[in-house]
């Protein structure tokens, strides 16, 4: 059977690994949606912003240099050799946490009790702000990101099976697993995690037992920012840090629809299904349709799937009452 | 002082239910309309036409369409760009297939084609709701753009993949192509906007509009009291797509003159129209127009300030503009989630009482 040769498995594996990358973005969505009911459209831009900031720190760019130069007529670009990768990551994490505080403080805390659609719109606005901010702070040119992750095809796998698998994608898979495990531990076994789940369960009840909604939201957005940083690093190392990074957020949406908006395992499995499905469809049926089917296949798959199961694979059952 | 209903006695139900019950409003509305139809065409030049008026009217029509679907029927759609593309490509195919056809029926037919496509992509709405539906409409957005990009028949096998509007006339005046005068295209668009804003206003307060709103407010309850969800939702998709299709046709034929699908009708276009109706006001005809004006004028204004007055580089002003638009959206949502239309309503309430606030 021609379909089950090495090439087929290579496509499947690369699809699975691409799916992991989608899952990384989808995870951030799920975290925020579970804890605050906010459908965070800005997750992709958050990843872009994190990656831009990381590169900026690494290479020692002066933030807002373009703006400063335009206003003052100076010509500053860099403030030295740049920082060590580890230090840059720590600094970026701090920036993401600060950003989360700003977002919650300035925008979301004033929108408590609004309808979901209004909050969704607010995050689209947020996406625009972050996109503009990222471009003004660090410049819009395509940047390469190197944090010391292995690249190139893995020799051991080629020798053992004859398949061509990127080392970077394997690293991404390992990171994703670590991330999911640590997130699970965080939400199941820490006090903060328990408070987080309480808020996710019922805002009012959580407030009445003395949990601060604003703090929880801040923590959630910080965690989402950290997840965004991981996703940004992975995607940035793969295809360079550029504007198109923010579009992967859109790819994460069908992943979420498949997996259900409220399920972390759903985000992972949804990502894998989309990744494999999209690659197989593109390779075996794409040429007949003119190629580039990756643009829409994920959405169509999710659409068809939802017709049969409107809450997704692992989503909470939708119960409606009048 | 002048803005109050005291002393205006209604003697018929018709007068009581008029869109503008207060005389001042009526006078204001008709003078603006008269100004738009009779004065502006003599003053308009190329810059005002291409940068302000035509974009405003095209997007106002699209915003009206999306507002019918999202604001009145409660079905969130992110596929506006895709549906505008359907309108534009239908317009192009009709223009090239029937060279003798008048532009007016061409625009109508483009709208009708889009309505059919809209019904098709509206089918999932019977089963999927809320955010899930919003994401499902993304399927329409990406699939349609891909389709127009990949199937050469749609762009008549042109080498660039672009569609270019040939010259067509209405009553002997060129409305598309290089020979079209600013005043002609302006009046053509204005006539469409005027008629269809009037149609929309009367649709939404009639039987069909009320059933849309019933579905929006609570679909299960609406179904129980006898509103047919299939017919209601699909009619909302059809009417909305009709408007958006016409907007797409005008966008391509009168405004841009040429279009490339991934650039002109991308996902950003969908968001743009969505912002218009949110800033303007969900479920408000006036809101659609104000929102469109706001989103069209804002970039023009910013560009004039940053590039014209401060002399900053254009890319910088573009990013600043992004930030400001995003910030304004958040600001509006915090201050008034129901948009400028709601602000306007409050102002009118205050005006009626002025100068005595209690």
């Amino acid at each position: 059977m021609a379909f089950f040769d090495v090439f087929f498995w290579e496509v499947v594996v690369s699809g699975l690994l691409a799916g992991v990358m989608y899952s990384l973005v989808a995870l951030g969505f799920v975290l925020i949606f579970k804890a605050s009911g906010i459908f965070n459209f800005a997750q992709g831009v958050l990843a872009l912003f994190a990656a831009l900031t990381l590169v900026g720190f690494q290479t020692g760019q002066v933030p807002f240099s373009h703006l400063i130069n335009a206003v003052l007529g100076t010509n500053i670009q860099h403030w030295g050799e740049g920082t060590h990768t580890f230090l840059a990551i720590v600094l970026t994490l701090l920036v993401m946490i600060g950003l989360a505080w700003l977002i919650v403080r300035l925008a979301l805390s004033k929108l408590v009790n609004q309808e979901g659609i209004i909050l969704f719109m607010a995050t689209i606005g947020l996406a625009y702000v972050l996109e503009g901010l990222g471009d003004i702070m660090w410049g819009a040119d395509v940047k390469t990101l190197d944090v010391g992750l292995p690249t190139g095809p893995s020799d051991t796998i080629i020798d053992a099976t004859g398949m061509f698998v990127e080392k970077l994608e394997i690293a991404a898979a390992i990171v994703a697993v670590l991330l999911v495990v640590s997130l699970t531990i965080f939400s199941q076994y820490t006090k903060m995690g328990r408070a987080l789940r309480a808020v996710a369960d019922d805002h009012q009840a959580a407030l009445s037992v003395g949990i601060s909604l604003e703090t929880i939201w801040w923590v959630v957005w910080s965690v989402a920012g950290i997840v965004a940083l991981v996703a940004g690093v992975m995607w940035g190392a793969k295809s360079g840090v550029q504007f198109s990074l923010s579009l992967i957020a859109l790819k994460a949406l069908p992943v979420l629809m498949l997996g259900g908006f409220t399920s972390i395992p759903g985000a992972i499995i949804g990502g894998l299904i989309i990744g494999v499905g999209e690659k197989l469809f593109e390779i075996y049926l794409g040429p007949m349709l003119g190629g580039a089917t990756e643009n829409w296949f994920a959405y169509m798959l999710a659409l068809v799937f939802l017709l049969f199961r409107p809450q997704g694979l692992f989503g909470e059952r939708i119960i409606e009452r009048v | 002082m002048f803005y109050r209903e005291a002393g205006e006695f209604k003697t018929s139900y018709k007068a009581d239910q008029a869109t503008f019950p207060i005389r001042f409003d009526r006078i204001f509305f008709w003078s603006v309309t008269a100004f738009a139809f009779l004065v502006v065409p003599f003053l308009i030049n190329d810059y005002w036409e291409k940068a302000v008026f035509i974009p405003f009217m095209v997007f106002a029509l699209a915003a009206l369409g999306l507002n019918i679907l999202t604001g009145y029927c409660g079905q969130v759609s992110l596929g506006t760009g895709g549906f505008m593309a359907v309108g534009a490509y239908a317009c192009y195919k009709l223009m090239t297939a029937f060279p003798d056809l008048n532009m007016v029926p061409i625009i109508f037919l483009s709208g009708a084609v889009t309505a059919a496509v809209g019904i098709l992509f509206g089918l999932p709405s019977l089963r999927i709701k809320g955010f899930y539906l919003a994401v499902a409409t993304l399927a329409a957005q990406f699939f349609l753009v891909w389709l127009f990009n990949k199937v050469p028949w749609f762009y008549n096998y042109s080498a660039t993949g672009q569609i270019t509007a040939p010259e067509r006339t209405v009553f002997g005046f060129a409305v598309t192509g290089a020979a079209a005068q600013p005043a002609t295209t302006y009046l053509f668009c204005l006539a469409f906007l005027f008629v269809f804003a009037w149609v929309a206003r009367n649709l939404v307060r009639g039987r069909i509009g009320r059933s849309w709103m019933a579905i929006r407010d609570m679909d299960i309850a609406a179904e129980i009291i006898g509103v047919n969800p299939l017919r209601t939702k699909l009619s909302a998709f059809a009417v909305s797509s009709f408007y958006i299709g016409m907007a797409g046709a005008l966008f391509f034929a009168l405004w841009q003159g040429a279009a490339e699908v991934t650039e002109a009708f991308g996902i950003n276009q969908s968001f743009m129209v969505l912002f218009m109706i949110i800033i303007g006001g969900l479920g408000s005809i006036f809101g659609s127009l104000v929102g469109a004006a706001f989103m069209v004028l804002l970039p023009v204004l910013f560009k004039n300030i940053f590039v014209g007055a401060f002399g900053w580089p254009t890319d910088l002003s573009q990013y600043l503009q992004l930030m400001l638009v995003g910030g304004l959206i958040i600001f509006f949502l915090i201050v008034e989630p129901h948009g400028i239309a709601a602000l306007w309503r409050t102002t009118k309430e205050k005006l009626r009482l002025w100068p005595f606030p209690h």
Side-chain angles (χ1 to χ4, degrees):
Chain A
M1 181 85 183
F3 273 116
F4 294 98
D5 54 8
V6 172
F7 179 65
F8 173 80
W9 288 111
E10 193 177 299
V11 173
V12 170
V13 169
S14 84
L16 281 175
L17 294 171
V20 169
M21 304 284 261
Y22 295 142
S23 305
L24 279 178
V25 183
L27 263 181
F29 273 100
V30 172
L31 279 174
I32 290 182
F33 190 80
K34 270 186 83 149
S36 54
I38 297 174
F39 189 89
N40 178 24
F41 185 78
Q43 188 65 28
V45 185
L46 218 53
L48 171 68
F49 186 81
L52 276 175
T53 311
L54 181 59
V55 176
F57 280 132
Q58 255 190 328
T59 54
Q61 271 184 310
V62 178
F64 300 109
S65 57
H66 199 37
L67 182 68
I68 296 168
N69 293 345
V71 176
L72 302 176
T74 50
N75 187 22
I76 41 172
Q77 298 293 343
H78 294 276
W79 45 266
E81 291 299 297
T83 43
H84 186 260
T85 306
F86 180 73
L87 188 63
I89 289 177
V90 173
L91 283 174
T92 313
L93 281 180
L94 289 179
V95 168
M96 295 314 282
I97 291 171
L99 189 69
W101 186 78
L102 276 179
I103 292 170
V104 172
R105 187 82 216 160
L106 292 181
L108 296 175
S109 65
K110 299 196 166 53
L111 287 167
V112 178
N113 264 341
Q114 294 286 359
E115 288 166 53
I117 184 79
I118 302 284
L119 292 165
F120 172 57
M121 295 305 155
T123 61
I124 299 184
L126 182 66
Y128 274 51
V129 173
L130 284 179
E131 202 183 308
L133 185 68
D135 286 339
I136 292 178
M137 259 175 101
W138 307 109
D141 45 327
V142 181
K143 300 175 179 62
T144 49
L145 175 64
D146 181 20
V147 288
L149 287 168
T151 49
S154 163
D155 297 330
T156 39
I157 296 182
I158 289 187
D159 292 342
T161 60
M163 284 195 290
F164 185 91
V165 180
E166 284 272 345
K167 272 186 200 158
L168 179 68
E169 291 183 325
I170 297 171
I174 294 168
V175 169
V177 171
L178 286 178
L179 200 64
V180 171
V181 169
S182 48
L183 281 177
T184 315
I185 291 172
F186 173 69
S187 73
Q188 299 290 336
Y189 299 105
T190 63
K191 198 176 167 194
M192 188 54 93
R194 202 175 302 141
L196 224 131
R197 279 185 294 140
V199 171
D201 223 31
D202 190 332
H203 284 190
Q204 299 245 310
L207 272 174
S208 68
V209 294
I211 297 169
S212 156
L213 205 58
E214 211 162 289
T215 317
I216 294 296
W217 280 14
W218 178 36
V219 171
V220 171
W221 278 80
S222 306
V223 174
I226 295 165
V227 176
L229 174 63
V230 174
V233 167
M234 289 302 164
W235 279 95
K238 191 181 176 192
S239 49
V241 181
Q242 52 182 319
F243 170 70
S244 66
L245 207 65
S246 65
L247 294 178
I248 54 167
L250 290 173
K251 253 319 170 29
L253 293 178
V255 170
L256 286 170
M257 300 211 328
L258 266 183
F261 282 130
T262 49
S263 161
I264 289 181
I268 304 290
I269 292 174
L272 297 181
I273 293 175
I274 296 270
V276 173
E278 167 177 287
K279 279 271 176 353
L280 285 178
F281 190 82
E282 172 67 24
I283 294 213
Y284 289 105
L285 293 172
M288 274 179 257
L289 295 168
T293 55
E294 279 163 342
N295 284 341
W296 55 268
F297 176 76
Y299 301 96
M300 280 295 184
L301 182 70
L303 181 62
V304 171
F305 183 81
L306 279 190
L307 287 178
F308 296 101
R309 206 180 149 80
Q311 72 271 37
L313 269 179
F314 299 98
E316 285 156 22
R317 233 180 118 197
I318 303 167
I319 301 167
E320 285 184 281
R321 292 192 189 88
V322 176
Chain B
M1 277 303 197
F2 310 102
Y3 193 84
R4 57 201 45 192
E5 55 258 86
E8 287 192 33
F9 301 109
K10 307 285 191 300
T11 49
S12 64
Y13 284 114
K14 203 176 160 230
D16 200 36
Q17 300 206 325
T19 300
F20 300 110
I22 296 175
R23 182 179 297 129
F24 184 84
D25 264 344
R26 271 197 303 278
I27 295 170
F28 182 67
F29 171 75
W30 285 112
S31 34
V32 168
T33 312
F35 183 78
F37 272 103
L38 300 175
V39 182
V40 176
F42 293 104
L43 304 174
I44 196 168
N45 61 22
D46 218 33
Y47 174 76
W48 279 88
E49 180 223 359
K50 286 279 189 273
V52 178
F53 283 114
I54 303 280
F56 162 65
M57 288 186 283
V58 165
F59 280 116
L61 211 51
L64 277 175
L66 188 63
N67 219 337
I68 286 173
L69 186 63
T70 305
Y72 285 100
C73 197
Q75 313 294 309
V76 184
S77 163
L78 293 174
T80 318
F83 291 130
M84 280 175 82
V86 175
Y89 277 77
C91 179
Y92 175 66
K93 286 307 279 187
L94 287 165
M95 279 168 100
T96 46
F98 305 103
D100 298 328
L101 207 56
N102 189 314
M103 247 340 250
V104 179
I106 288 185
I107 303 283
F108 280 134
L109 284 172
S110 319
V113 170
T114 318
V117 177
I119 291 176
L120 190 68
F121 280 100
L123 284 174
S125 74
L126 301 171
R127 206 144 149 76
I128 313 172
K129 286 168 192 164
F131 290 128
Y132 287 92
L133 180 68
V135 182
T137 54
L138 276 178
Q141 167 72 43
F142 286 102
F143 179 74
L144 288 170
V145 166
W146 174 85
L147 188 72
F148 293 130
N149 211 1
K150 287 292 170 194
V151 180
W153 181 78
F154 286 114
Y155 48 87
N156 284 357
Y157 305 93
S158 81
T160 52
Q162 266 200 346
I163 52 173
T164 314
E167 186 176 313
R168 291 291 176 269
T169 57
V170 176
F171 311 125
F173 295 101
V175 288
T176 63
Q181 292 298 314
T184 337
T185 53
Y186 167 79
L187 279 175
F188 188 77
C189 284
L190 186 65
F192 267 94
L193 179 62
F194 183 76
V195 170
F196 281 97
W198 178 77
V199 168
R201 171 69 193 147
N202 285 296
L203 270 182
V204 295
R205 56 181 186 161
R207 180 194 162 83
I208 189 168
R210 285 170 187 223
S211 58
W212 288 340
M213 285 186 261
I215 288 284
R216 170 193 69 188
D217 291 341
M218 177 114 234
D219 53 350
I220 297 175
E223 199 177 340
I224 289 166
I225 60 167
V227 177
N228 182 344
L230 176 92
R231 202 185 302 150
T232 311
K233 282 183 181 172
L234 291 190
S235 67
F237 265 99
V239 174
S240 151
S241 308
F242 184 76
Y243 275 72
I244 294 171
M246 287 193 306
L250 291 176
F251 176 92
F252 151 70
L254 271 80
W255 179 17
Q256 301 276 339
E260 202 278 315
V261 65
T262 41
E263 215 163 279
F265 302 109
I267 182 84
N268 279 340
Q269 211 69 276
S270 303
F271 284 130
M272 178 93 169
V273 181
L274 196 61
F275 286 155
M276 286 172 189
I277 66 168
I278 289 170
I279 289 186
L282 286 168
S284 158
I285 300 294
F286 174 71
S288 318
L289 303 182
V290 180
F294 190 83
M295 291 296 284
V296 167
L297 292 183
L298 203 64
V300 178
L301 185 72
F302 283 151
K303 200 170 175 201
N304 279 332
I305 292 176
F306 291 136
V307 181
F310 293 174
W312 289 355
T314 37
D315 59 333
L316 199 59
S317 100
Q318 209 184 331
Y319 304 140
L320 269 178
Q321 189 189 314
L322 258 184
M323 276 184 75
L324 284 170
V325 169
L328 273 174
I329 288 164
I330 298 177
F331 175 76
F332 265 105
L333 289 174
I334 291 172
V335 177
E336 182 51 87
H338 302 291
I340 300 175
L343 279 180
W344 176 237
R345 260 197 297 277
T346 337
T347 318
K348 282 206 292 194
E349 289 298 316
K350 293 225 165 100
L351 267 178
R352 279 182 197 182
L353 297 173
W354 189 84
F356 306 111
H358 298 293

